[in-house]
Amino acid sequence: MRDQRVEALARILVRYSTHVERGDVCVIQSSTTAEPLVQAVYEEVLRSGGFPIMQLSTEGAQAAFYGLASDDQIDWVPPTAKWAVENADVRIAIMADANPRELSRVDPKKQTRAQTARKPLMETSMKRAASGEYRWSLTMFPTHAYAAEAGMSLSDYEDFFYSACLATDEEPVSAWQRQSDEVKRLADWINGKEEVHIKAPGTDLTLGVSGRTWIPCVGEHNMPDGEFFTGPVEDSVNGEIAFSFPATYGGREVAGIKLRFADGRVEDASAERGEQFLHEMLATDEGASRLGELGIGTNYGISTATKEILLDEKIGGTVHMAVGMSYPESGGQNDSAVHWDMVCDLRSGGSISVDGVELQRDGRFLV
């Protein structure tokens, strides 16, 4: 018998997050590891009258690709992938790592080359999403690998994850709508402001946000959700920041990241572990060493770091920043093949001030 929380999450993704309607083409992307949730989403799309297309990979496919592919094969973008971002109405992606370290020995240059080749796909999907013609949502399926990374049993991790998604609510489809008022209030308060100042141990950073739009996130794109974000003015970031949790990108974990910015660009970067990989990603292209996103977490139901950014960036009392590509709907203009989120915990001695007014202290909102 299928877990009822899986059924509830599928309804949230299809009925609330992406609003699949009759005639919508919906691409479902995942791996065979997530088969129960993939099947539930597939059935829910059919019930909604949509046209589902499955794009599934097997466990180990990514590692095999980077281990065996020639340069020509890395540069080749499958026509199906191009068609999907240009023509589909909806994309639902489900992460389901069986081994989060399977890419840890991959040559970073191969990953950079693959990202560069697929940059037009990211640009197209972001532009279509910003215009409203393309709806997308990203979630996870609980696996032993995710549970081990979070230091939990699989059963405990499932309880934690489905609760964070509000899939345990009696009315799961409307649960996120009922939870959205506070996030929208905070986004409304900060819109129109000019400068954000973030302070914490090892962190003293200012970012210009004049003319940029703050987007409230209430389960429409990420599941679980809980943040509001914008794209900082590209040459406005100054100061230094120490990120609190390990940051994973392309299957590589980097810990103890510290960045120093001058006029928007990273001028010094260090890490306690994975520093060479950090430098290589920041050198991917012109925009990879600038910030494309500043986000403020609002989900106090997620209180513990799990080493999975989809969850960790939503923790209430944290901020996260992404080097690389901006989301066009925020007004951000940074262009890159990279979009790498990193989280700074403000719950012990941290603060956020906006135009001189304290928005948050020790992880709690004051406005």
Side-chain angles (χ1 to χ4, degrees):
M1 182 176 176
R2 189 185 291 160
D3 190 329
Q4 292 302 302
R5 298 170 299 182
V6 172
E7 301 278 0
L9 180 53
R11 291 199 298 276
I12 291 170
L13 294 169
V14 174
R15 304 283 181 172
Y16 171 75
S17 298
T18 58
H19 299 284
V20 176
E21 299 178 349
R22 184 169 300 278
D24 283 341
V25 174
C26 179
V27 175
I28 307 167
Q29 294 178 330
S30 190
S31 70
T32 51
T33 314
E35 183 178 338
L37 182 54
V38 170
Q39 181 68 21
V41 170
Y42 179 81
E43 293 174 6
E44 198 62 36
V45 171
L46 289 172
R47 293 188 189 99
S48 299
F51 299 115
I53 299 174
M54 284 191 184
Q55 292 185 344
L56 299 182
S57 64
T58 57
E59 290 182 23
Q62 267 199 314
F65 175 76
Y66 284 114
L68 300 172
S70 65
D71 286 349
D72 287 345
Q73 289 170 318
I74 290 175
D75 292 339
W76 182 71
V77 178
T80 50
K82 187 172 185 291
W83 183 92
V85 299
E86 292 178 350
N87 295 279
D89 301 293
V90 173
R91 170 181 173 259
I92 297 175
I94 304 164
M95 301 187 301
D97 286 343
N99 177 9
R101 299 287 180 270
E102 71 172 350
L103 301 183
S104 61
R105 295 188 178 277
V106 169
D107 182 353
K109 292 183 174 61
K110 285 191 172 184
Q111 290 176 293
T112 300
R113 186 171 188 134
Q115 290 162 5
T116 301
R118 286 150 186 77
K119 180 185 172 186
L121 300 183
M122 182 167 64
E123 290 175 332
T124 299
S125 63
M126 283 185 166
K127 288 176 182 176
R128 290 188 68 220
S131 71
E133 63 179 296
Y134 182 61
R135 285 112 60 202
W136 63 270
S137 186
L138 173 67
T139 192
M140 299 165 55
F141 178 73
T143 65
H144 284 287
Y146 291 138
E149 289 289 283
M152 302 181 192
S153 69
L154 179 59
S155 177
D156 287 344
Y157 188 80
E158 287 173 335
D159 291 344
F160 159 75
F161 175 74
Y162 289 122
S163 176
C165 291
L166 306 183
T168 55
D169 192 273
E170 291 183 2
E171 297 291 338
V173 175
S174 62
W176 280 100
Q177 189 63 52
R178 286 182 271 118
Q179 293 283 331
S180 67
D181 290 348
E182 176 69 358
V183 182
K184 290 179 178 178
R185 181 187 73 82
L186 291 166
D188 287 343
W189 181 88
I190 202 170
N191 264 313
K193 304 296 194 295
E194 295 188 354
E195 186 178 80
V196 176
H197 186 191
I198 299 167
K199 295 190 72 174
T203 295
D204 189 345
L205 194 72
T206 58
L207 310 93
V209 294
S210 178
R212 299 300 163 90
T213 301
W214 288 84
I215 311 293
C217 300
V218 291
E220 294 170 329
H221 293 309
N222 287 176
M223 185 57 58
D225 215 341
E227 66 168 285
F228 52 107
F229 76 91
T230 193
V233 176
E234 286 70 28
D235 61 356
S236 71
V237 185
N238 285 284
E240 58 187 8
I241 183 165
F243 292 102
S244 310
F245 310 138
T248 301
Y249 193 75
R252 298 257 187 159
E253 182 182 294
V254 184
I257 297 174
K258 295 181 180 180
L259 302 178
R260 187 169 71 246
F261 290 85
D263 297 330
R265 181 179 295 281
V266 176
E267 65 171 14
D268 185 65
S270 65
E272 295 171 4
R273 186 173 68 253
E275 185 172 303
Q276 182 179 348
F277 179 74
L278 172 64
H279 289 162
E280 289 175 342
M281 290 301 101
L282 292 174
T284 297
D285 51 39
E286 179 68 20
S289 62
R290 294 184 183 273
L291 288 184
E293 179 188 358
L294 164 65
I296 301 174
T298 62
N299 191 331
Y300 289 91
I302 306 174
S303 59
T304 303
T306 65
K307 295 187 179 180
E308 176 46 59
I309 192 63
L310 181 68
L311 298 170
D312 295 352
E313 70 176 4
K314 311 303 191 308
I315 295 172
T318 68
V319 295
H320 59 275
M321 299 171 199
V323 291
M325 179 72 84
S326 300
Y327 289 102
E329 60 266 40
S330 71
Q333 300 170 18
N334 201 41
D335 183 39
S336 176
V338 172
H339 183 90
W340 186 2
D341 290 287
M342 305 172 187
V343 181
C344 178
D345 195 345
L346 304 179
R347 290 174 292 181
S348 296
S351 66
I352 305 172
S353 297
V354 182
D355 290 352
V357 177
E358 203 167 28
L359 168 66
Q360 189 185 94
R361 186 190 311 123
D362 291 328
R364 291 290 168 181
F365 291 101
L366 304 178
V367 299

